[in-house]
Amino acid sequence: MAGGAQFTPPDTEVRYEVFHTDCAARDVVGHVTSRWGIWVLISLQRNDLRFYELRESIQGISEKMLAQSLRALVQDGLIWRQVEPTTPPQVTYGLTEFGREVSEPLVELFDRVTRRVAPAAG
């Protein structure tokens, strides 16, 4: 092939440059694998939850960190947020189709790890 140009077939899937800091996919992976993002996704894999239910299901998370994690995951399109106009407002979160796709391997990873790790002595 002359001129050094590479041939790209027209049906080739677009790939992201995940090792570049400006890659959108890298940001989403960062939110998914953040300290709390992974636990939010695993918690929502079972069913939709309200804010306080998420906070209670994820031990050690502060309201501030939960709110930040939820905001990022909603913005990434991994979870949806529904607000009931009550006093106080009732906010429910659940997984989108994309969020379900992403969280399924996380649940499988968690299951594999917990099968191998001995329970903590209590």
Side-chain angles (χ1 to χ4, degrees), residues 35-46:
R35 178 174 182 188
W36 301 112
I38 191 168
W39 301 117
V40 169
L41 292 171
I42 288 173
S43 293
L44 290 172
Q45 182 69 32
R46 289 180 238 135

Side-chain angles (χ1 to χ4, degrees), residues 6-16:
Q6 290 186 337
F7 173 74
T8 304
D11 294 334
T12 300
E13 186 176 315
V14 175
R15 302 285 300 182
Y16 290 95

Side-chain angles (χ1 to χ4, degrees), residues 9 25 35 50-51 59 62 65 71-72 88 90 98-99 110-111:
R35 178 174 182 188
R50 288 183 164 158
F51 184 90
Q59 292 186 6
S62 68
M65 290 310 302
R71 195 174 307 117
Q90 295 179 358
F98 179 38
F110 180 74
D111 289 344

Side-chain angles (χ1 to χ4, degrees), residues 5 16-17 27 36 65 84 103 107:
Y16 290 95
E17 296 294 330
D27 289 340
W36 301 112
M65 290 310 302
E84 295 290 327
S103 66
V107 171

Side-chain angles (χ1 to χ4, degrees), residues 74-89:
V74 167
Q75 187 174 4
D76 292 339
L78 294 162
I79 62 176
W80 52 261
R81 177 180 188 264
Q82 179 181 345
V83 180
E84 295 290 327
T86 59
T87 305

